[in-house]
Amino acid sequence: MPDEDGADKGRRRGPYLVSKLRDQLAVRRTIAGELISLANLLGRPVVDTDGDRVGRVNDVVVHWEAGTANPMVSGVLVSLSKGFALLDASEVTFEQSKVRVRSTRISVAKAVRHVSDIGLARDVLDHQLVDIEGVQVVRAADVYLRKLPDGWELAGVDVGFQAYARRLLRKRRVCPPPHRAVDWADLQTFVPRATDERTPDVTDPAAAAGTVGGGIQLGFPAKDLRKLRAREVAAIISDLGPRKRAQVASLAAPVAAAEALRQLDQNQRDALLGELSESDRTRLLALLESDDEK
Amino acid sequence: MTEPASLLPPAKAPLTRKRWIVRLLAVLAILGPGLIAANAGNDAGGVLTYASAGSQFGYRTLFLMVLITVALVVVQEMCSRLGVYTGEGLGGLIREQFSARSTFGALSLLLIANAGLTVSEFAGIGAAMQIFGVSQYISIPIAAVAVWGLTVLGTYSRAERLFLVLVLAFLAYPIAAFLSHPDGKEVISNLVWPHFLATQSFLVLAVALIGTTITPYMQFYVASAVVDKGIKPADYRSERIDTVSGAIWSDVISIFIIIATAAAIGGTGPLESAREAAKALEPAVGPAAPALFGLGLLGASLLAASVVPLSTSYAIADATGAPRSVSASFRQAPLFYGLFTLQIVVGAGIALAPGNLVALVVNAQVLNGIITPMLLTYVLILANRKRVLGTAVNGRIFKVVATLCVTVVGAMSFIVLVLTVKGLF
């Protein structure tokens, strides 16, 4: 009977909502132990063994090596009352809303970032990335760290507006569930080339985490970048500035890159070619000319 | 070592005639973003403010305009340099370098302020066409469709060329200025030496002049347009000529508007509308005055009706990472063109609506008073940051000049904001 049906639905609706809520809580509890949101962690206290605050989280640094899909967290950059300290990941324990220092003393001496380190807040969060899987240029609204037996790895980024909107509100106690997450292995990043030629100036977080030189760090292509077809390379290239275009063009399959270049107007093609290394430029120009002859 | 970024190209061997021609051609090829961005400032609101300056205080504001020109050149140059060297617009750069909350705040304010400006641009088109006897109910919808169609359906290079032709409509103002027989000696004396008045009304007008000449949409537009046009660092010298000459040309026109009104109706008090200015000039300039003013107003309002919504679209698409290009199709860049379309529809719609709605929305321009100091500070920090601009970072002398400009403009914008808010209650 319809009435009974309706009543039944009403009765079922209550437990359904409860179970959904329970599922969500379970997800959050699981996430709480497994995932950390970088946006949620930045600015949080760094405490010593007694629980006293020694500074604030300024950045989380990962060590980037060619061939690794998800780089490991190598350290945390802490803003102290005077200057900055780069603590090794082995010296700290990451928690959802704080970073605990294991050792009793913090070395404030030269906080020099290694050449292949990336500051996630400085180089990735809010920066342009190429989502190879989704063939689009995105901006990272949040960065997630995943727990492994031997430390934390860079899991991926969130590119959804929800993740960005969360940052406008108050910080959460635990890592919010990802909304539109992209695996780090599917992303092509554009990290400024770091050099540690200069003595780090500890009053500037950028310098404390390594000095940035000109250009973009090359040589770490995303897993599937070379598999992209010409149309896909062209779509990505059209959304980037000349320097980033050049990076994508030099890392993509040459034939696809040459075809994508053909679709740009003369001005933009020249700008891209101007940013390439001599060898990449010669190779792409040869491909362009050989196609023209055909 | 960083090279100080001077406004002028470094001194090299004297240019031969052939090299001059090559240089001129290079500048002409690149001409566009800088010229268009700055000249959109001579829109309906701008014309009214400049005409009021002339009618209220005669030539006294001329020296101020010279100072404002320096500030406009400095600010616009920094923005186009940021665009060319980073390959990103201001929306994206602000998101990368500043907190989520301040980015969101700045872009929300820009969205609302630009929406208000778009309404006033369409109202300006209506007013200009009324001078020629065309009803606003006909002219505004046609203009809206034309502006939308040119930008969305046509190729942008063609639209840009048309915009550059519209800039020529501004020649109407120098003609009007000469026809009004200004006192040459007086003009020059006021241009090279300050003749300021220590009154509140002079201060308010001075701030209004700054506000209408240096407006946030110009900075967002120029930075994104140079990226969209694919201007590379190697071409920056030509782009700098475009930006600097665009800013100077725009302000020379503003100065001519002040001279025209100062000579014809100087000392009569403030004006209510640009149309009133055109009418008031008739006895001195002759029967051509309304037509000349109408033509200039129409050109500028059409230009700004396209540039202002484009700057919002660029800023927001840039910050969200969505595709953004005037060369893309609607399907390729839905957010960019969707926002552009929405602004045109709402802007033209409100401009056509009866009642005081227009006045209300135009008041949203007060928001420009909040965004200007905020945005200029962002621009200054970005252009001073080596990590953003590398070798193209602000040089030491430029840094001092730019900081001075930004501080003065920021402080003045803040004063007008306080006065406006006080006036509301």
Side-chain angles (χ1 to χ4, degrees), chain A residues 122 126 139 169 244 268, chain B residues 88 95-96 101 228 318:
Chain A
R122 197 192 66 169
D126 288 322
R139 277 191 191 272
L169 308 169
K244 290 172 182 169
Q268 295 178 325
Chain B
E88 281 187 59
R95 175 163 175 195
E96 282 179 12
R101 280 177 196 161
D228 207 353
D318 229 342

Side-chain angles (χ1 to χ4, degrees), chain B residues 106-111 113-114 216 220 366-376:
Chain B
L107 292 185
S108 309
L109 287 174
L110 180 81
L111 180 72
N114 277 4
F220 277 94
V366 174
L367 287 175
N368 278 319
I370 310 177
I371 318 170
T372 306
M374 212 166 147
L375 175 74
L376 294 188

Side-chain angles (χ1 to χ4, degrees), chain A residues 138-152:
Chain A
V138 291
R139 277 191 191 272
D142 201 350
V143 179
Y144 296 114
L145 309 174
R146 184 168 41 217
K147 195 175 187 184
L148 292 184
D150 54 343
W152 291 82

